[in-house]
Each structure stands twice: as C-alpha cells, then as structure tokens.
Amino acid sequence: MITPAIEDRPQWADASAGQARAVTPGALDIAHGVILYLDEISVSFDGFKALNKLSLHIDVGELRCIIGPNGAGKTTMMDVITGKTRPDSGKAFFGQTLDLTRLKEPEIAHAGIGRKFQKPTVFEQHTVFENLELAMKMDKRVWRSLFYKLDSEARGRIETVMEQIRLTAQAHRLAGLLSHGQKQWLEIGMLLMQEPRLLLLDEPVAGMTDDETMRTAELFVSLAGQHSLVVVEHDMAFVEKLGGKVTVLHEGSVLAEGDLATVQADDRVIEVYLGR
Amino acid sequence: MRQSYTERSVRLLGPKGWTAMLAFLALMLIIVPAMHLLAPPDSALHVSNYAVTLTGKIMCYAMVAVAMDLIWGYAGILSLGHGLFFALGGYAFGMYLMRQIGLEGNYHSALPDFMVFLDWKALPWYWQGTDNVVWAIVLTVGVPTVVAGVFGYFAFQSRIKGVYFSIITQALTYAAMLLFFRNETGFGGNNGFTDFKRILGYSITAPETRVVLLGLTALALAGTLLLGRWLVTSRYGRVLAATRDAESRVMFIGYNPLWYKLFIWTLSAALCGVAGALYVPQVGIINPGEMSAASSIEIAIWVAVGGRGTLIGAVIGAVVVNLAKSWFTVSFPQYWLFFLGFLFILVTLFLPQGIVGLYQKLTQRRTPDAPNAPAPTEATPSTPLTQEHAA
Ligand SMILES: Nc1ncnc2c1ncn2[C@@H]1O[C@H](COP(=O)(O)OP(=O)(O)OP(=O)(O)O)[C@@H](O)[C@H]1O
Ligand SMILES: [Mg+2]
C-alpha cells in the first residue's frame, strides 16, 4: 500500500517562525519506565473516526510493532504523536511531563521524537557522511552553520551511526548513488543522528529486498534498549523477526496486543484480516 | 572521495586555484597598470583606455555572475532581478559622482543638471548626504540589502519557489525600471546619471584613476570569489544545497530554510550593489537599461554558459559572453541577441554543466586510471541543472 507522498510532508516550517534550535530534552521524565502514553485519543475527519479512543503505552527501550488493515489509523496515530494532527480528545504524553497535544512539531522533534516517513528522502547530491552530518543534533541556526567546525566527537558519532547502518564503506559516496534499501538505511541513520529517544517508523521496509528487510530487522533489534521504537509494518515476516510486542489496530482503536503468535491466534484479529 | 561537496570545492581552491588567484591579482594590480601607465601609446605593450575600461567592466559583471551563482547554483533559486540590485548600487554611487561634478555642470549649479532642468530647487530627501562618499558607499550596499531582504523575506516566507519566484523578481525589476525612467522620481530619467568628472577629487578619466579603479575591482572580484568559496564549503553551504535538493527534508531535520535562503539572497544582492558601484565610475554611465528584462536574463546566461554551482564557472561565463558581446556589438550589432539566444539553447542542450563541466569531462577522459577516478557507472554527479531535468 502506498501512502500518498503529500501526506508525508512535514508541515511545521510555518510553525517555526523563529529559528529552529536544539532544545535540550531535559524535560523528558521517564522515571516510571514509560516513554509514551496515549490515552483515549480520538481523531475524526469530517465525522469519520480515524482514531477512536485509542489507548496505548510504550515502555522505555521497547520495540513495538503496530499492525492493522489499511485505514486502521496507524499513520494518523503517528501524526498525533508528532504534532502534525491534533486529537479531538484524549491525552498524549511523552514521558511523564511533555504534553504532545500542546507542543509544536519542531518542539516535539527537538524533545526527542524522530519519525521516518515512508518515502525515503536523503540528500542525493551529498555524501553519506554529509547526510549524517547535516542531520546531527545541534544548533541549526544560520550563524552557527557558517562557523561550524566538525570536531572529533561529532566525527566519532557519525562513524558509529555509519557502522550501525552498515554504510561505513560508502561514507564518501553520493547518497543518490545508493540502492533503495541503502537509502532507507541512510534515512534511519539520519534519524539516529538526531538522537531521538523514541523512533517512529512508518513502513520502513517497503520496497526492500528480503535480504535487506532481514538486515533492517537486525538493526532495529540492536537499537531497542538504547532507543524506544514504534514500527508500523504490513510485512509479517519482518514483524516476526523483530520479535517484540505487537499491537493490532482496527478502526481506530486497539483490537489486540501481545506477542505475534498470540495476536495471530486471536479470533477477532483473524476475523478482521480474513473475515471480510 | 572526489565527489563530496566539501572536497570538490577544497580541491578547486587548492594550490592551483590559489596560484591562479595570485596570478590574476598580479596581472590586474601590477602588470596591466604598468602597461597602461608606462608603456608609450604606440608601443605593442600599451594597454589602451578602451581595454582597461572593458576589463574593469567585465570584472564587475563577473562579480554579479558569482553572486548569481551563489543563489542559483547553490540555492537553486533563479533570480531574474539581479539587474535591479546592480543598478541600485550603481545609482547610489552614481549620485555621489554627480555631486562631485560640483558647479561644473552645464547649468553651473550645485544640483545635478537634470534636477536644474526639472526646475527643482533642492535635492530630494533620499539623495541627501550623497556628497559624502562614506554615505554613498553605505547606500551602495545598504539599499540592495534592504530591498532584497524585505522582498526575500516575504517571498520565502510565503514559500514562493521556482519559476514563480523568477517571475516576481522580474516583475519587481520591471517596476523599478519604470520608476527610474520617470523624470520626476529624481533618477535622471532615461539618461540616468552620466558626464562624471571626478571621484574623491581626482579626475575620473585620468589614467591613474582608471588603474586604481581597475585594481579595486580586481580585489573586489577576488574577495567575492573567496567569500563564495568559504560559504559553499561551510556547513551552511551544505545545508543550502540540501535545501535546493530536498527542502521539506531539511525542515524535518530541524533547519528553517527561510533564514538560510534569505541570507544568501541578501548577500547576493549586496554583492551586486558593490559591483554596480564599481561599474559606474569606470563605464561612466548608469541608466534604467540595467534594469531591463534582457540585462537580468543575460546574467543568468553567463552563469549557465560558465557552469552552474562552481563559482569559477560564473566568472568564465561572464568573461566569455561579454568578450563575445563587445566583439559582436562592434561587428554585427543587430545579431547579438540572436547569438545570445542561440548560445543559451546550445549550452542548455549540449553543455548542461557549462564550460567548466566540459573541461572536467575532457580532463577526466584523458586520465582514466587516475587514483580515485569514479567507476564509469557512477560517472560524475550530475549538476543541479541536469538533476532538475532528470527529476
Ligand atoms: N487528513 C485526512 N483527511 C480525511 N481523512 C483522513 C485523513 N488522514 C487519514 N484519513 C482517513 O483516516 C483513516 C485512517 O488513516 P491512516 O492513514 O491512519 O490509516 P493507516 O492505518 O495508516 O492505513 P495504511 O495501512 O493504509 O497506511 C483512513 O480511512 C483515512 O482515509
Ligand atoms: Mg499509513
């Protein structure tokens, strides 16, 4: 299934009338071991309920898969978390204290939620290294960029991420020359450079070969723990390989939750996927 | 390795670039002045008035071309209004030169002749203080900066892009041209400003003055190139190029493209203003023709011919096209515009990366087994121009 590209465009440039800057995510409070709470979130478009009292929480370091039929509300849920869509009712918190329904999109991004959209967009005329450098978490105002010098610490961080995404050998290759799967990885790497606490990945393996899909699964598993991940995917082999808890969304609310085998055995889930 | 923005640019400014730069400065600051001042007029070594003026003029154009490349080649924003910023700088400094005429005008008035002719009794407020060279220089840089800054802020803020942006820059320039054409607006009507006599008290036609102006222009051009290089090899330059290629992605990783674009746009305009101010005393006239559609389009053609996104290509393009122009306008004046149009089509079709691109292609073919040479399949990265066409 193809998400229209237009839907994937970040819209917070208008919102950031001032200069975007690196906000210290100091306000993030994860003392209770939970990084994301959604409580009875409802969103409707012209009367149609895309999300219907959706409640969900993600633990720190967790790797969560969200599955569900087309139109279940998975992308809308990510829109709510990243501030792109405001819920009609319900609560959304990042950690204990950050109210996602009040923050603007760049503020949410700087607070530590990174999102990968379905269509990979990397800077094709820049090298892999430069792509990662540009994405790095730092002061991003014009003046700082003019006088910026790459220090060894930053270089080290870029090299670490390049290893994670297996692109070290391609460091000085133009991103435009990478394969589709490598571009997806590079984009994930750019996300990591922003040092998010929570990563939202909407259909990250769409268009990848089986081999690339499995390697992506390995990468995500290795990221869990340090980061919390929410992965939306239709590819069941991939979901199985990730091995985490699975949440099934249907008509805007949670239908079932548990490990993959459990939810696959659930009668209501079978009915939703096969019954119609 | 060779293909990154950073490294590519560093290589261009490397030992070869520096040598070329120093040779150029030695030529313009020492050799040409000596040949103009010292060699007797009938000697083969003598550089004529005409040649000195033409060289100075072309260097001013080259500065404008570099400014254009910064905004077009690196930020992907095609301005068809750079003639305006050039003219604004030219007019600001031109008024200083008008005031330097003093009482020696046709009407022997302290007011410029055209104002006497209009029966004005006093300078309009906006020309106050222009007898002071410092203030004139402030205007030279300040007016294009403010005009570009305000215009750019609103245009970029409302996300006007691509061809729409080009069209409104052209419209702005056209409106300004109409304004400057009118006698009662105080810009000298269609004659503009001319008949200058002195600059800082020195005769403006004296060989020594010409040589000093030539040297200053060479320094300004060199400075513009160095500034440009520094900008495009900085992180700022990489963000700018990223904005050109995928703006929404740039926003998503936390940059606000508005300020990135506005900075280069305004700087580009200010550089054009400086070029205009250097142009006027050397060429001896500034008139609204500089704001015609054709003038601004010509600037874009210089850059396209030389090669976008290389800076040095802009200089080469400005020099080549303007040398051709001065030859044509003497030999076949009526065919110049046809030739220019033809040249543009030719370059777009066959040399999308301009003269610099052609040179790179030729030198690469000659040394196929050079270390680091890209494998054939990953041929040189396409320039922004071809990228857009491919996309
Ligand atoms: N901006 C919008 N305006 C109107 N309806 C919308 C809008 N965004 C989403 N919807 C609708 O809300 C429902 C949920 O959409 P959503 O994109 O969240 O589904 P999804 O679970 O991501 O589906 P898919 O697997 O197809 O990506 C769909 O029926 C969709 O048509
Ligand atoms: Mg979706």
Side-chain angles (χ1 to χ4, degrees):
Chain A
M1 99 107 231
I2 305 289
T3 316
I6 196 84
E7 182 194 320
D8 281 356
R9 282 188 48 212
Q11 301 190 329
W12 47 262
D14 290 321
S16 57
Q19 287 279 44
R21 71 186 72 193
V23 174
T24 41
L28 180 63
D29 172 9
I30 47 172
H32 293 222
V34 177
I35 196 155
L36 180 74
Y37 291 96
L38 299 181
D39 187 33
E40 305 233 312
I41 295 276
S42 293
V43 172
S44 52
F45 297 110
D46 308 322
F48 170 77
K49 283 207 175 225
L51 292 182
N52 188 7
K53 298 200 168 173
L54 172 71
S55 297
L56 186 79
H57 70 263
I58 308 289
D59 291 336
V60 173
E62 187 181 349
L63 168 52
R64 175 74 61 95
C65 282
I66 312 274
I67 62 172
N70 290 347
K74 305 179 295 290
T75 300
T76 307
M77 181 192 80
M78 292 202 166
D79 289 344
V80 168
I81 298 170
T82 53
K84 191 174 160 185
T85 300
R86 295 286 179 212
D88 301 332
S89 62
K91 292 184 208 143
F93 276 89
F94 185 40
Q96 306 291 310
T97 49
L98 293 177
D99 184 349
L100 296 172
T101 60
R102 286 171 197 273
L103 294 175
K104 291 190 193 120
E105 286 158 293
E107 291 167 343
I108 292 174
H110 283 301
I113 297 184
R115 176 171 182 182
K116 187 197 168 305
F117 293 91
Q118 190 181 335
K119 184 172 158 257
T121 35
V122 295
F123 303 122
E124 310 223 324
Q125 295 283 314
H126 291 68
T127 63
V128 167
F129 188 94
E130 288 169 338
N131 268 275
L132 296 173
E133 184 213 352
L134 289 180
M136 184 160 41
K137 176 175 177 162
M138 61 177 297
D139 191 328
K140 287 179 172 164
R141 284 172 292 181
V142 168
W143 221 239
R144 292 310 175 100
S145 293
L146 279 171
F147 297 102
Y148 177 79
K149 269 191 103 130
L150 189 70
D151 55 26
S152 57
E153 191 197 325
R155 185 173 287 274
R157 269 175 56 203
I158 294 172
E159 276 159 7
T160 310
V161 168
M162 280 196 302
E163 249 153 57
Q164 282 180 310
I165 57 173
R166 299 168 191 257
L167 288 177
T168 306
Q170 323 281 336
H172 296 288
R173 217 161 168 232
L174 287 188
L177 302 172
L178 298 177
S179 74
H180 183 78
Q182 286 175 323
K183 282 184 193 170
Q184 295 262 44
W185 282 333
L186 178 55
E187 198 178 3
I188 293 165
M190 290 168 76
L191 205 58
L192 294 176
M193 288 306 298
Q194 296 171 61
E195 295 181 20
R197 303 298 297 265
L198 173 65
L199 285 88
L200 306 176
L201 301 126
D202 201 349
E203 305 192 26
V205 296
M208 282 192 187
T209 63
D210 287 350
D211 183 47
E212 286 171 334
T213 300
M214 286 306 126
R215 287 213 252 154
T216 306
E218 283 163 26
L219 171 64
F220 286 2
V221 170
S222 75
L223 290 176
Q226 271 182 345
H227 305 266
S228 313
L229 290 88
V230 175
V231 183
V232 164
E233 204 30 86
H234 287 285
D235 182 336
M236 284 304 154
F238 177 70
V239 172
E240 192 177 356
K241 180 97 189 195
L242 289 180
K245 207 171 172 188
V246 175
T247 298
V248 185
L249 283 197
H250 177 52
E251 291 178 349
S253 39
V254 175
L255 184 69
E257 206 164 81
D259 61 46
L260 184 63
T262 315
V263 300
Q264 275 179 328
D266 187 302
D267 289 340
R268 288 168 308 167
V269 175
I270 295 170
E271 190 189 331
V272 164
Y273 269 96
L274 306 173
R276 284 180 297 169
Chain B
M1 272 287 184
R2 61 186 303 145
Q3 293 168 343
S4 86
Y5 265 106
T6 327
E7 282 143 13
R8 213 159 57 189
S9 315
V10 167
R11 275 193 331 156
L12 269 176
L13 188 70
K16 252 161 81 185
W18 281 109
T19 316
M21 175 76 82
L22 291 179
F24 161 75
L25 287 177
L27 184 71
M28 293 301 165
L29 296 178
I30 300 167
I31 300 172
V32 171
M35 288 164 79
H36 183 55
L37 297 178
L38 304 178
D42 48 359
S43 122
L45 288 177
H46 181 72
V47 176
S48 66
N49 274 348
Y50 171 77
V52 171
T53 305
L54 183 67
T55 310
K57 178 169 118 172
I58 291 181
M59 285 197 292
C60 291
Y61 287 155
M63 243 178 106
V64 173
V66 172
M68 173 67 125
D69 195 25
L70 282 174
I71 188 78
W72 189 27
Y74 291 90
I77 299 167
L78 172 58
S79 163
L80 293 180
H82 265 41
L84 170 63
F85 305 127
F86 180 77
L88 288 175
Y91 269 95
F93 199 73
M95 183 45 94
Y96 164 75
L97 298 175
M98 293 299 273
R99 305 285 299 272
Q100 281 269 305
I101 297 172
L103 299 176
E104 286 168 41
N106 292 332
Y107 299 107
H108 307 290
S109 158
L111 283 182
D113 278 353
F114 74 89
M115 293 189 188
V116 180
F117 186 75
L118 289 171
D119 208 19
W120 289 8
K121 300 290 175 241
L123 273 189
W125 61 268
Y126 46 87
W127 285 132
Q128 295 296 334
T130 43
D131 52 337
N132 180 326
V133 71
V134 176
W135 178 241
I137 291 171
V138 169
L139 286 181
T140 284
V141 181
V143 174
T145 302
V146 170
V147 171
V150 171
F151 172 84
Y153 179 81
F154 288 107
F156 298 139
Q157 172 82 341
S158 21
R159 311 243 191 130
I160 295 172
K161 285 185 197 151
V163 74
Y164 300 100
F165 185 87
S166 306
I167 289 170
I168 60 168
T169 53
Q170 177 80 96
L172 176 76
T173 308
Y174 190 71
M177 182 178 75
L178 296 182
L179 187 83
F180 277 62
F181 256 128
R182 301 189 72 90
N183 285 323
E184 67 275 19
T185 49
F187 299 101
N190 57 355
N191 296 322
F193 299 161
T194 187
D195 289 332
F196 310 129
K197 301 219 168 359
R198 273 183 300 274
I199 177 167
L200 292 168
Y202 298 101
S203 161
I204 206 160
T205 48
E208 292 79 7
T209 313
R210 284 179 190 282
V211 156
V212 169
L213 286 170
L214 185 81
L216 283 176
T217 311
L219 285 173
L221 175 59
T224 304
L225 266 174
L226 286 178
L227 176 68
R229 274 284 160 230
W230 180 74
L231 282 174
V232 303
T233 54
S234 71
R235 181 190 171 93
Y236 170 82
R238 290 193 286 281
V239 176
L240 196 67
T243 307
R244 174 194 68 200
D245 299 338
E247 183 168 345
S248 60
R249 182 78 191 142
V250 170
M251 295 191 283
F252 179 58
I253 56 179
Y255 299 92
N256 189 340
L258 169 65
W259 304 108
Y260 278 80
K261 291 195 223 170
L262 193 60
F263 176 78
I264 197 74
W265 167 250
T266 311
L267 180 76
S268 178
L271 290 171
C272 286
V274 174
L278 287 163
Y279 172 92
V280 172
Q282 297 184 84
V283 176
I285 184 165
I286 179 85
N287 64 31
E290 301 298 337
M291 287 176 272
S292 68
S295 302
S296 292
I297 292 170
E298 233 174 90
I299 298 170
I301 295 179
W302 303 337
V303 177
V305 167
R308 267 172 75 185
T310 58
L311 296 186
I312 192 66
V315 175
I316 294 170
V319 172
V320 168
V321 176
N322 281 294
L323 283 179
K325 182 176 184 173
S326 49
W327 180 75
F328 259 94
T329 42
V330 173
S331 312
F332 312 99
Q334 64 275 42
Y335 293 123
W336 167 243
L337 280 180
F338 290 106
F339 173 76
L340 190 67
F342 179 70
L343 184 70
F344 187 57
I345 293 170
L346 210 71
V347 165
T348 313
L349 288 181
F350 301 108
L351 282 181
Q353 300 166 51
I355 295 171
V356 169
L358 180 72
Y359 172 80
Q360 282 171 346
K361 222 186 257 171
L362 292 177
T363 47
Q364 260 168 32
R365 199 164 294 163
R366 246 190 284 132
T367 54
D369 46 10
N372 285 340
T377 42
E378 31 179 294
T380 36
S382 43
T383 64
L385 193 67
T386 46
Q387 264 283 309
E388 274 168 21
H389 287 290

